[in-house]
Amino acid sequence: MTSPTRETTKGGVGDSPLRPDGTLKVRGEFAYSSDLWHEDMLWGATLRSPHPYARIRSVDIGEALKVPGVYAVLTHNDVPGTNLYGLEHPDQPVLAVDVVRYHGESIALVAADHPETARRAIKKIKVDYEVLTPITDAEAAVGPDAPALHNGGNVVRKVHIERGDQHATADVVVSGVYEVGMQDQAFLGPESGLAIPAEDGGVDLYVATQWLHVDQKQICFALDLPTDKVRLTLAGVGGAFGGREDLSIQVHACLLALHTGKPVKMVYNREESFYGHVHRHPAKLYYEHGADRDGTLRYVRCRIYLDGGAYASSTPAVVANAATLGIGPYNVDNVTVDCWGAYTNNPPCGAMRGFGAVQAGFAYESQMDKLAAALGIDPVDVRVRNAMSEGSVMPTGQVVDSAAPVEELLRLVKERPLPPATDGPLDLTAMPGGVSNTTHGEGVVRGVGYAVGIKNICFSEGFDDYSTARLRLQVINGEPAAVIHTAAAEVGQGLVTIQQQIVRTELGIDQVTVHPADTTVGNGGSTSASRQTYVTGGAVKAVCEAVREKLLKLAVARFGEPRSELSAPDVVAVLGDDVIEETVEWRHRPTTALDPDTGQGFAHVQYGFAAHRAVVDVDVDLGLVKVVELACAQDVGKAMNPQAVLGQIHGGSTQGLGLAVMEEIQVSGGKVRNPSFTDYLIPTVLDTPPMPVDVLELADPHAPYGLRGVGEPPTISSTPAVVAAIRAATGLALTRVPVRPEHLTDTQSPSA
């Protein structure tokens, strides 16, 4: 057993050991939640509203019940507990009662002996609707004359932040109005799970999710059951990115299982998945920057409207993020920010990688480019002039008390050699339009753009953010072996590997098994906010320290003297046939709520920073874009697993690229028009460019191992960098993402 200061063992912190799930995944042998199976199980299906806003006059389930093979047809009358759920505010019906507020809202459930039978029965349910006029504009929705969609009005939350002189002036002023479309998480594994009724009157649910205990809490309210009767186990998760933080099939599958007394499996198809989870908030953002003629920022004023859709989900926290991070990683003495989250009849929006910082980042970085152009200053230089650093003060008054290497990150991406110009033999795959053969280079213009972003890490605003870890140490086959157990969700990011690495480092043993995540251990919190390596990693480290302390006390009795280190044979000798088991709750340092009048407060525990340089080729005649390279520099505090760090940076950058040039859920009149991967486009391997990365490791003294959350920062700066490069190639303003071909060819387009 090592001391905490000993060098890392093989497979420990700082190494990149083989992921325990990696080989199975690349071989197609990993069991995802959609692969779950049980003898005699039924299949569940959901009736969803075809209207974005309507009153329900009646629901007739009679014909559906007559379909052979149907075991149950349920409506809101069959919900035994509270017919409401929600992450922060329980405002969304488990099954609609007398009104539907978005296209795709759940109205009724069917359980049948075959999935096709269940779908046929769904079509037999007759619903009489009174169609209403939907509210689809977030800015209008929070206005004084808008009809209220919920009791209390359409403002989910408003945050006001003010710092310094609210009437400051400047020599040079630039303003702009920006829009961000509705992006989908586009995880490849659809929502799915298996609910099994238990003999004690409870239910066991195996499900792909991001937060087991919050799911459990909401299910208990709906089923009117205590927590010991609702047991959740994490099933294989095929990606998440925020879209599994809210409930989807969880309550529905459990309702059907308890009603029929049989196991019930639910799996959404791709179209239903688009209706069945939240998306990134569309946004409209009004910004004004004032600066001296040398580029020093004097003030920033902005108004941000986030479309939360029909229900609250995590909109309150997204509003806070957009507001507190709304001016970017810059020193500005005088700030005014107003940010609204609105109820509308558009699809519900909630958590997605970047969580409010993405929308603000596109706007403030577009403004920095506009300011650079107005002053005739290099766009990187104007950013460097205003770059925050350790000791800088946020608009909330919070001092940034760990590394904030904004200038260094910008210089790293700028100084990296540019990719060579396209020449030599023609390679269509390197051209805008690719193998569609739209150009051989004629009309193609290259552009280079830069951006930098800031993201909070972990939960904020006084939230009790903690995780629980249980460690069992014993001797197996003559070797010390540990089992680490948390409820933290592995969604593909590599958390199971990190847990093993920490145990190996802290205890100096090789054999480490990760127990399946479930609710028999304490809360692990959500796999979101780039928090799991920080918080669950902190819990795993702390429980290892507790086990080490107990082991060292036993060693005194065994060896007759205190020891600071124990070898593996020593551990075996001390333990013998005994077992040491410890459980620890671990919390990061506390944060505070924002002042409701001024928005001041110690809101965030940590900040992460990333910068990008994008190089693009644009066919200016056809409006086609090829991203040639997307270089990134990011401070990660400590590269706990260097290979996983690169994977997170590449993945986040790719999602930002998608938002820049292709990804958008098209919503018209409240109706989703493209619920498929045929029409909702995501970057493929042909769209994803080389992504060289510079990783800084500037330790945060407040965090375990000095680490810094990695997953979200690259999503924030990649989008504005790509758009800046397109602007450089075309000379167009481009105030909306994603940038579409018509924005580049139609100079009358509002986004051009």
Side-chain angles (χ1 to χ4, degrees), residues 192-474:
S192 49
L194 176 67
I196 303 173
E199 292 182 358
D200 65 356
V203 63
D204 293 284
L205 177 64
Y206 301 82
V207 66
T209 182
Q210 291 179 236
W211 196 347
L212 287 166
H213 281 81
V214 159
D215 285 7
Q216 180 191 46
K217 179 180 177 181
Q218 294 174 88
I219 296 167
C220 288
F221 283 144
L223 300 183
D224 195 23
L225 289 174
T227 55
D228 64 327
K229 294 291 183 70
V230 178
R231 299 167 290 267
L232 276 67
T233 300
L234 186 70
V237 183
F241 313 111
R244 299 188 200 268
E245 201 168 47
D246 295 78
L247 297 186
S248 57
I249 62 96
Q250 285 92 323
V251 177
H252 296 167
C254 292
L255 274 173
L256 291 169
L258 291 172
H259 191 86
T260 62
K262 289 178 172 289
V264 174
K265 179 177 179 176
M266 296 190 76
V267 182
Y268 291 171
N269 61 26
R270 183 57 57 189
E271 179 177 353
E272 188 171 18
S273 179
F274 273 92
Y275 299 124
H277 65 258
V278 297
H279 315 287
R280 188 185 300 286
H281 291 71
K284 192 167 188 179
L285 310 98
Y286 297 80
Y287 269 74
E288 180 177 297
H289 283 57
D292 293 342
R293 297 198 180 278
D294 67 356
T296 302
L297 287 170
R298 287 301 170 200
Y299 71 83
V300 176
R301 300 179 188 125
C302 65
R303 290 181 292 124
I304 302 170
Y305 298 92
L306 297 168
D307 186 345
Y311 297 104
S313 181
S314 53
T315 292
V318 175
V319 168
N321 270 18
T324 58
L325 308 174
I327 70 163
Y330 301 112
N331 293 312
V332 186
D333 291 333
N334 307 301
V335 176
T336 311
V337 179
D338 287 292
C339 184
W340 290 262
Y343 284 122
T344 69
N345 292 119
N346 291 322
C349 290
M352 185 175 172
R353 193 179 201 164
F355 204 79
V358 167
Q359 296 89 327
F362 172 63
Y364 64 66
E365 286 301 87
S366 297
Q367 283 285 101
M368 294 303 284
D369 282 340
K370 184 177 284 191
L371 179 62
L375 294 168
I377 296 175
D378 180 89
V380 170
D381 290 345
V382 78
R383 288 171 168 85
V384 167
R385 176 173 290 276
N386 295 284
M388 67 166 45
S389 57
E390 185 170 358
S392 290
V393 181
M394 296 292 292
T396 58
Q398 179 178 349
V399 175
V400 179
D401 57 3
S402 65
V406 178
E407 177 178 352
E408 185 175 358
L409 296 174
L410 285 163
R411 295 206 183 281
L412 281 170
V413 292
K414 184 176 184 181
E415 292 168 3
R416 178 175 286 277
L418 286 164
T422 303
D423 53 19
L426 178 65
D427 178 6
L428 287 175
T429 63
M431 291 289 165
V435 295
S436 58
N437 201 24
T438 55
T439 181
H440 288 187
E442 62 277 8
V444 174
V445 181
R446 177 157 290 188
V448 179
Y450 298 89
V452 64
I454 180 174
K455 175 66 176 65
N456 67 303
I457 309 299
C458 300
F459 290 155
S460 304
E461 295 188 89
F463 188 91
D464 185 16
D465 193 8
Y466 71 95
S467 187
T468 312
R470 180 179 298 151
L471 184 72
R472 180 183 178 91
L473 182 66
Q474 63 189 111

